[in-house]
Amino acid sequence: MDKKLSRRSALKFVAAGVVASGVSGCVSTNTKTNNPSVKTGVIETQDKWHKTHDRVWLGGEFWANPMEDWQVKNGEAQCLSKGGNRSIHSLTHQLTNVNSEFNISVNLKRLEQNVKDGGAGIRLGARSDLNEYRSNCFIQEGYDCGVLDNNLVLGDKKIPLAIDITNKNISLHLHGLPQLGAMSLKLIAKDTASNKIIGELTHLEPSERLLGNVALVSNFAIASVTTNPTPIANQGCRYSFSQWVLQGEAFSVTDEKKFGPILWSMYTLSNSRTTEGYVMKINAFTGPLGDKDNQTLELQVKQNNQWVSLGKEALNNDGWVATFRIANWNETRDTPYRIVYIEKHNDGSETPDIWTGNVKANPKGSKLRMAALTCQNDIGFPYQPVAENVAKLDPDLVFFSGDQLYESHGGFGYIRSPDNKSILNYLRKFYQFGWAFRDVMRNSPTVCLPDDHDVLQGNLWGEGGATMKNPEKDFGASILGGYIQSPRVVNTVHRTNVGHHPDPYDPTPTNGISSYYGDLVYGGVSFAILADRQWKSGPESINVEVGVTGQDEDPLFINPAYNPPGLDLLGKRQEDFLEKWGKDWNACKLKAVLSQTVFAGIATHQPKPDRYLKYDFDSSGFPASARNRAIDIMRSSMALHICGDTHLGSLSQYGVNKQRDSNWAFCTPAISVGWPRWWNPDTADIPYKNRPAHALDQTGEYLDTFGNKMYIYAVGNPEVGRSENRYVHAHEKGSGFGFITFDTEKLTYTLDAYKFLVDVTDGKASNQYPGWPVTIHQKENRGENIIS
């Protein structure tokens, strides 16, 4: 389909007969109107690998750990790694009903021998602190049943097998029978060629130990490591699995828990202010497919109770994403949509997969309501309290400001090269983000910015797309400037995060890396979308050792060596765009700047409340002269700056020539805090003036360590996370999200900063961090202050 295809032109496809109103199959429907149906596993269920084309992705019924170490080949799920604890979890079946019986069987074989054998087989009781099926997928322990060193293993019991299985295909059969509050387990191993039993074990196990996910595991007796490639000392054998069968009333079966083939979608709707009118763009994701798989998706919309095709798009084979762009969209009404994928099997059969959602009408009236989120460390995955609260608020727009993933996501480390492996490693982590928030994004326009961790770097000073020099000195990519990953990998990150955004202002690449900055006009508000890091100057230019330099200085000393002339923050291209955007009031009454992080150093202590860190060069308070230049440009737009990244919620006002002469900035709390930060200037004896009328500690007019003027109105300082429950732990560490209501009639912004573990609908003042909610008038963003 032509990327510039208008809605009117697309309807010509209908006249030609391209209508798919009769498509039926597996439907991922809007959860507002469809509650998942849980049933028992009376009916036997088997994997479909025997009729799946060769590919990386194992299918929507499964989660593979890690995805890049598995493939379907010749009808089997093969592990590509000798590393420990490589697993395949069933997403649809969980063992929950301990008063009923179950049967599990699977065929397995060794693909590659090794001196050390880590075993292979079935894992029961894979259970997180939540016992929630997605979080359970990342637990690398449970009750293991299988073969190890030519022994049959059932929990902590083992016996020698009757034959050498080195070159044998064997089948495992596990039966569970409830017995007075416990489960009687029987494990049988057979030689598949002769169907003879070669080992049998029985054991009575407390039922509680078996609850949770069920998985297949290659090398269950070897702990995984985060080093890539896996050191020889941590390697076992490679195994493959086939004909995995699950049956029994002990299983709760929920077909809606499938994740794919269509994983999720993200869309935007924007007034182009051209003859193309409103333009709707949508990204739709699948798992990584194979050469013989169908690689096209179809977009349909509902009109007059009929599903009408707006055309097909091919998947990009790096990001496994299809992007649809429809001009002249009817923005006056809600439009149900669905994305259709026809999965083709190697036996000639086909299975449709349908993902549904709703493109909202351009908001009517004077109010636009936006959720603002940032930083989702997977120690809090799947972030249900935040995801459910955002869904309850039903925002008109959703903004993710970056760090949709961290390098540690899902375990197993990260991969720098080769590119194809690095991309799969990235996608596997990125999929956790979509898995957690897809039911919000399917119905609300979504802006999604990549940040440093999204490109697998601890910090990013992009220097206009420069390649990092001497990366061997900084494998974690948190000290040196430039990009450590290749342009192909970075562009995949950009494509998957921002491909559905309105067309960029100037897409010219920088040293091969794509550019995505531009604007979005929606609900009477114009949003400037910026890349804080892509042109930012690196610390080598001023001979800084990140995390060390300056620690011996007086906290009040502003070192001029760290603000020499010629340094960049946004870079000239974005500065020129921002200046032009600030003067364009066509089709908008309010403005906001969306970027990764706050233009000030609002953190004194990290990652402990008693560890003072003077300079955080990751903050966009550095470099100060470029920061002031950006704010000088932004001031005339009277835009509210909305951002994240610091893991510390804050509301501040910038100053350049004097305190409080410029825009306000709302840095939202992190969805799930990993590395905590505190703003405790009072304990560091940093002076302030003009504390706000609410008299909260740590507020007032300050200079940050780079000399930037800033008025701190509110902060959401964390506690020290101590709880073993991930959701309570996230709450303690200051996690949560932001919410902004734009009122284009009153010309105001009302800001909310919600804590992690609350119910946003119960109206409790304690749901928000101290100092919120706050209402700011538009003119206050150019220093005409009302708030005191």
Side-chain angles (χ1 to χ4, degrees):
M1 177 178 143
D2 186 341
K3 301 287 186 184
K4 301 290 186 180
L5 181 68
S6 71
R7 184 170 173 272
R8 179 177 297 175
S9 299
L11 295 179
K12 293 178 181 178
F13 283 101
V14 181
V18 186
V19 182
S21 59
V23 172
S24 62
C26 181
V27 181
S28 299
T29 56
N30 188 329
T31 54
K32 283 186 175 182
T33 59
N34 186 74
N35 293 319
S37 56
V38 181
K39 54 190 178 184
T40 60
V42 175
I43 299 173
E44 182 177 284
T45 302
Q46 180 182 322
D47 67 80
K48 299 181 179 67
W49 298 324
H50 60 288
K51 62 176 185 177
T52 300
H53 292 295
D54 292 356
R55 66 189 187 197
V56 170
W57 186 64
L58 302 187
E61 298 86 358
F62 311 107
W63 179 266
N65 286 316
M67 180 180 73
E68 61 270 19
D69 282 352
W70 290 91
Q71 67 176 0
V72 178
K73 189 171 183 179
N74 300 326
E76 303 173 338
Q78 297 184 354
C79 189
L80 300 173
S81 171
K82 294 181 182 179
N85 261 291
R86 269 56 182 173
S87 61
I88 307 168
H89 283 248
S90 172
L91 298 182
T92 57
H93 290 63
Q94 281 75 47
L95 207 158
T96 60
N97 307 313
V98 294
N99 294 319
S100 298
E101 63 181 312
F102 66 87
N103 289 285
I104 305 172
S105 63
V106 67
N107 293 350
L108 62 84
K109 65 181 178 182
R110 288 184 193 158
L111 296 175
E112 192 174 349
Q113 308 304 317
N114 193 9
V115 174
K116 186 177 183 180
D117 178 20
I122 301 162
R123 174 170 289 166
L124 304 176
R127 184 171 72 250
S128 73
D129 55 313
L130 303 176
N131 194 13
E132 187 274 342
Y133 78 106
R134 291 169 295 181
S135 63
N136 290 351
C137 286
F138 304 97
I139 300 304
Q140 297 186 32
E141 59 185 8
Y143 189 87
D144 294 325
C145 321
V147 294
L148 172 64
D149 288 328
N150 224 74
N151 294 304
L152 188 65
V153 176
L154 181 62
D156 58 4
K157 298 183 70 176
K158 69 178 180 179
I159 59 169
L161 292 167
I163 63 173
D164 184 352
I165 64 169
T166 299
N167 296 308
K168 300 282 188 178
N169 294 338
I170 71 164
S171 60
L172 296 177
H173 304 263
L174 179 65
H175 179 230
L177 184 68
Q179 185 172 321
L180 298 176
M183 189 70 73
S184 177
L185 298 173
K186 177 187 284 188
L187 178 65
I188 296 174
K190 293 182 179 181
D191 172 20
T192 56
S194 65
N195 202 35
K196 290 183 178 180
I197 294 176
I198 58 175
E200 183 175 333
L201 271 174
T202 60
H203 189 56
L204 191 65
E205 192 67 31
S207 299
E208 173 69 21
R209 189 177 178 187
L210 309 179
L211 295 174
N213 279 19
V214 56
L216 303 177
V217 189
S218 180
N219 291 316
F220 59 72
I222 300 176
S224 70
V225 296
T226 57
T227 306
N228 280 299
T230 302
I232 293 176
N234 300 95
Q235 293 182 5
C237 296
R238 288 180 52 228
Y239 282 89
S240 70
F241 300 89
S242 62
Q243 298 182 45
W244 186 15
V245 176
L246 301 168
Q247 187 274 330
E249 292 190 359
F251 290 114
S252 293
V253 181
T254 311
D255 292 335
E256 290 86 351
K257 289 180 178 178
K258 280 183 59 181
F259 189 42
I262 303 174
L263 305 178
W264 82 95
S265 61
M266 295 190 284
Y267 79 88
T268 58
L269 180 63
S270 180
N271 187 348
S272 71
R273 294 163 292 175
T274 70
T275 56
E276 289 192 307
Y278 278 78
V279 176
M280 195 280 289
K281 289 180 71 175
I282 188 167
N283 264 0
F285 300 88
T286 69
L289 303 173
D291 293 340
K292 295 183 179 179
D293 279 309
N294 175 26
Q295 297 189 19
T296 60
L297 299 178
E298 182 177 18
L299 173 64
Q300 301 172 9
V301 295
K302 200 167 192 177
Q303 297 177 348
N304 300 320
N305 292 319
Q306 294 290 320
W307 287 105
V308 177
S309 175
L310 296 187
K312 296 182 179 181
E313 282 290 349
L315 288 158
N316 174 281
N317 290 167
D318 276 348
W320 296 102
V321 55
T323 304
F324 297 84
R325 183 186 189 277
I326 312 297
N328 300 118
W329 187 269
N330 185 348
E331 82 289 357
T332 64
R333 63 187 182 196
D334 286 2
T335 302
Y337 71 88
R338 68 183 189 181
I339 298 165
V340 179
Y341 176 74
I342 307 299
E343 186 174 9
K344 297 182 178 180
H345 307 292
N346 59 24
D347 62 358
S349 62
E350 297 180 347
T351 304
D353 190 50
I354 302 171
W355 174 260
T356 67
N358 181 56
V359 177
K360 290 186 174 182
N362 189 47
K364 297 178 182 178
S366 61
K367 292 184 179 180
L368 172 73
R369 301 164 62 255
M370 184 176 87
L373 306 100
T374 190
C375 299
Q376 38 199 299
N377 193 295
D378 74 342
I379 60 174
F381 179 82
Y383 329 114
Q384 275 179 288
V386 171
E388 290 177 1
N389 275 327
V390 173
K392 288 176 184 178
L393 291 169
D394 190 21
D396 301 306
L397 183 66
V398 179
F399 172 46
F400 294 95
S401 65
D403 294 343
Q404 281 67 253
L405 59 91
Y406 285 82
E407 296 89 323
S408 59
H409 255 48
F412 304 97
Y414 52 91
I415 298 173
R416 295 288 184 214
S417 64
D419 284 353
N420 60 334
K421 275 283 192 178
S422 181
I423 288 171
L424 290 175
N425 177 266
Y426 157 74
L427 289 174
R428 184 247 303 173
K429 303 171 195 293
F430 184 62
Y431 290 163
Q432 288 187 239
F433 155 64
W435 211 4
F437 289 101
R438 63 181 186 158
D439 285 326
V440 168
M441 296 186 289
R442 73 200 304 163
N443 298 317
S444 293
T446 301
V447 174
C448 183
L449 300 182
D451 202 3
D452 43 15
H453 294 284
D454 298 296
V455 294
L456 305 179
Q457 298 197 195
N459 291 307
L460 176 62
W461 299 275
E463 297 186 329
T467 299
M468 183 179 289
K469 298 177 181 178
N470 303 312
E472 69 280 357
K473 297 180 180 180
D474 186 16
F475 193 77
S478 58
I479 298 173
L480 302 176
Y483 289 84
I484 196 169
Q485 298 292 161
S486 72
R488 179 185 172 192
V489 175
V490 175
N491 289 343
T492 298
V493 174
H494 286 185
R495 183 181 297 111
T496 50
N497 280 270
V498 308
H500 65 291
H501 286 189
D503 299 345
Y505 178 78
D506 177 5
T508 304
T510 62
N511 293 315
I513 292 175
S514 58
S515 300
Y516 60 81
Y517 64 91
D519 66 354
L520 180 148
V521 180
Y522 183 69
V525 181
S526 181
F527 298 90
I529 298 170
L530 300 180
D532 285 356
R533 321 287 194 181
Q534 193 164 349
W535 283 269
K536 185 175 178 177
S537 296
E540 300 102 311
S541 60
I542 53 174
N543 298 314
V544 162
E545 186 178 356
V546 175
V548 176
T549 296
Q551 282 298 90
D552 56 348
E553 291 181 354
D554 182 333
L556 304 184
F557 172 60
I558 308 301
N559 194 329
Y562 304 149
N563 190 30
L567 300 184
D568 282 315
L569 176 60
L570 299 182
K572 188 175 188 311
R573 286 173 57 185
Q574 287 195 116
E575 289 174 353
D576 291 345
F577 156 71
L578 192 60
E579 184 169 12
K580 183 177 180 181
W581 169 82
K583 298 174 182 176
D584 185 356
W585 288 92
N586 184 13
C588 65
K589 294 183 178 180
L590 289 174
K591 290 180 181 283
V593 170
L594 307 181
S595 78
Q596 284 80 3
T597 195
V598 63
F599 294 176
I602 308 178
T604 54
H605 297 75
Q606 53 182 298
K608 297 180 180 180
D610 58 355
R611 180 180 180 266
Y612 175 74
L613 180 68
K614 181 174 182 181
Y615 292 112
D616 188 346
F617 293 94
D618 179 51
S619 98
S620 284
F622 167 80
S625 56
R627 171 262 193 191
N628 288 338
R629 191 164 64 243
I631 294 171
D632 275 336
I633 295 169
M634 194 164 64
R635 187 185 301 111
S636 63
S637 70
M638 296 181 287
L640 173 69
H641 186 196
I642 306 168
C643 54
D645 179 65
T646 68
H647 309 166
L648 171 66
S650 67
L651 179 60
S652 61
Q653 187 179 16
Y654 300 138
V656 177
N657 299 311
K658 61 179 181 179
Q659 287 281 10
R660 303 193 64 187
D661 67 0
S662 303
N663 312 70
W664 283 74
F666 183 19
C667 181
T668 67
I671 296 168
S672 176
V673 173
W675 179 279
R677 292 182 175 91
W678 284 260
W679 170 250
N680 284 330
D682 294 2
T683 63
D685 295 324
I686 296 174
Y688 68 90
K689 294 181 179 179
N690 299 320
R691 182 150 283 175
H694 57 51
L696 292 171
D697 291 344
Q698 327 297 343
T699 62
E701 295 174 357
Y702 294 88
L703 296 181
D704 72 10
T705 52
F706 300 105
N708 298 305
K709 299 176 180 65
M710 56 186 192
Y711 176 63
I712 309 302
Y713 186 83
V715 289
N717 275 324
E719 304 172 29
V720 176
R722 292 187 172 91
S723 176
E724 293 182 2
N725 178 278
R726 68 184 64 195
Y727 287 168
V728 176
H729 190 85
H731 188 88
E732 291 171 339
K733 292 178 73 174
S735 306
F737 70 101
F739 204 83
I740 302 97
T741 302
F742 301 83
D743 191 322
T744 57
E745 181 179 336
K746 295 181 180 178
L747 301 181
T748 58
Y749 309 80
T750 298
L751 315 175
D752 301 286
Y754 290 107
K755 299 175 183 178
F756 185 91
L757 202 57
V758 301
D759 180 352
V760 295
T761 64
D762 65 16
K764 294 180 181 178
S766 59
N767 289 344
Q768 299 205 44
Y769 285 97
W772 282 274
V774 181
T775 297
I776 296 168
H777 196 278
Q778 180 187 51
K779 62 186 179 181
E780 293 184 85
N781 287 312
R782 64 184 179 198
E784 298 179 33
N785 295 307
I786 299 171
I787 292 175
S788 61

